[in-house]
Amino acid sequence: MDEGRRNTAGLELKHLRCLVAIVDTGGFTDAALELGVSQAAVSRTLLALEKILGVRLLHRTSRTVEPTTAGVRVLARARLLLAGADELVTEATTGHSRLHIGHAWSAFGRHTTEFQRRWHHDHPDVELRLIRHNSSTGGLAEGLCDLAVVRGSLDLKPWSHALVGHEHRCLALASDDPWARRRSVRLAEVATRTLALDRRTGTTTSALWPEGERPAVEHTHDIDDWLAAIASGRCVGRGRGCGWRPRPGGHCGAGPTGRRRRGPDSGARGRRGRATRV
């Protein structure tokens, strides 16, 4: 037996659960509480995992714990393996399986509710769960889902993929914004406002405007911050579909006031605004 096989022979799910718990809780103390063991046991388990794999997995300081480059890769695989083990137990004990679909925002847009209902009707033995994750792959690269709805430019070579549809680009506004009742807004006009941009999961960049004619930009951390910046009136936002319901008709039709379309896992509830196609 070669050295690699001897090492992996000692790998157990408890090692992977320990790594995930440390990263998810942000430290050894909280990971110990999560796992129901002592902090010393958490430290020993992590050291054993690092010895088995032959790499350092975490950067540790007195205040923070962050995965190393190797740790990020191992963490993603660990999540997949643990999810698979959990699914195996669930399917074996209940006869039901589960499908996790990740998304960064809006899931399937206006088709989300219909999709969930049709799935429940057509596949009653497979539980569907929508998982929102603040990453460009909607949690796929992080091992949090089985497949994901991805918007925008992304290198898809590592994954099997298929085009499932197109969405209009919309301008999202606060419901009391002076532009809210207009039937059209030109890109040149948007340049006079502050544009909310989410660099991690957004589909819009300032490169849509000529250099020297670009809008002021406020960067947000996730979809909730993006919505809050727009609902406050200090920013406008531009994206595909925007998670809002636009009014049909015309190339640049102003949308009616509407609520953000919500899945079972979404936050930022009840913020109101308008969507205008641009």
Side-chain angles (χ1 to χ4, degrees):
M1 182 181 294
D2 59 32
E3 185 65 23
R5 290 192 178 185
R6 282 198 298 271
N7 287 343
T8 57
L11 182 64
E12 301 178 27
L13 291 180
K14 71 175 183 179
H15 296 120
L16 304 181
R17 292 194 192 280
C18 178
L19 174 64
V20 171
I22 294 170
V23 173
D24 285 353
T25 62
F28 287 71
T29 301
D30 288 341
L33 293 173
E34 178 78 16
L35 297 171
V37 299
S38 68
Q39 185 173 338
V42 170
S43 297
R44 288 195 300 268
T45 303
L46 177 67
L47 288 174
L49 177 59
E50 291 180 324
K51 183 177 180 180
I52 290 170
L53 299 179
V55 293
R56 187 176 181 180
L57 300 175
L58 298 176
H59 290 301
R60 285 157 276 187
T61 70
S62 59
R63 295 184 178 181
T64 63
V65 176
E66 296 289 340
T68 63
T69 301
V72 171
R73 294 195 299 268
V74 172
L75 184 65
R77 296 295 299 274
R79 292 188 191 280
L80 285 172
L81 290 170
L82 292 173
D86 291 341
E87 291 292 331
L88 176 62
V89 172
T90 300
E91 291 180 23
T93 56
T94 68
H96 288 261
S97 57
R98 183 180 298 158
L99 177 67
H100 296 91
I101 300 181
H103 63 100
W105 44 269
S106 195
F108 293 97
R110 63 188 177 88
H111 303 289
T112 301
T113 300
E114 179 187 0
F115 178 84
Q116 290 175 302
R117 290 174 177 172
R118 290 181 62 178
W119 182 273
H120 180 70
H121 179 269
D122 296 341
H123 308 281
D125 292 333
V126 181
E127 181 184 356
L128 176 67
R129 287 195 177 182
L130 300 181
I131 299 175
R132 200 186 80 187
H133 185 69
N134 190 43
S135 73
S136 58
T137 64
L140 187 62
E142 295 77 11
L144 300 177
C145 55
D146 303 299
L147 56 91
V149 180
V150 175
R151 294 174 170 87
S153 300
L154 189 68
D155 181 10
L156 297 175
K157 292 179 182 177
W159 300 284
S160 298
H161 57 276
L163 178 67
V164 297
H166 297 276
E167 293 177 309
H168 292 287
R169 281 194 175 274
C170 298
L171 183 68
L173 308 164
S175 58
D176 58 353
D177 191 278
W179 289 355
R181 301 195 179 280
R182 290 180 54 176
R183 294 196 60 81
S184 64
V185 175
R186 293 180 291 110
L187 276 178
E189 294 179 280
V190 177
T192 66
R193 304 287 296 272
T194 298
L195 184 69
L197 290 183
D198 183 349
R199 285 179 289 191
R200 183 176 295 183
T201 65
T203 60
T204 297
T205 71
S206 58
L208 289 170
W209 289 264
E211 194 167 349
E213 301 177 17
R214 294 173 178 172
V217 169
E218 178 178 321
H219 292 289
T220 60
H221 297 290
D222 55 29
I223 184 64
D224 291 334
D225 287 346
W226 188 82
L227 286 170
I230 295 168
S232 70
R234 71 176 183 271
C235 295
V236 298
R238 189 172 186 269
R240 294 180 178 175
C242 299
W244 304 76
R245 186 192 300 273
R247 177 185 298 167
H251 180 67
C252 299
T257 300
R259 291 188 182 270
R260 178 178 163 232
R261 193 177 295 277
R262 298 188 298 221
D265 55 341
S266 51
R269 301 176 185 274
R271 295 192 179 109
R272 298 183 68 84
R274 291 181 177 269
T276 299
R277 292 183 191 173
V278 292

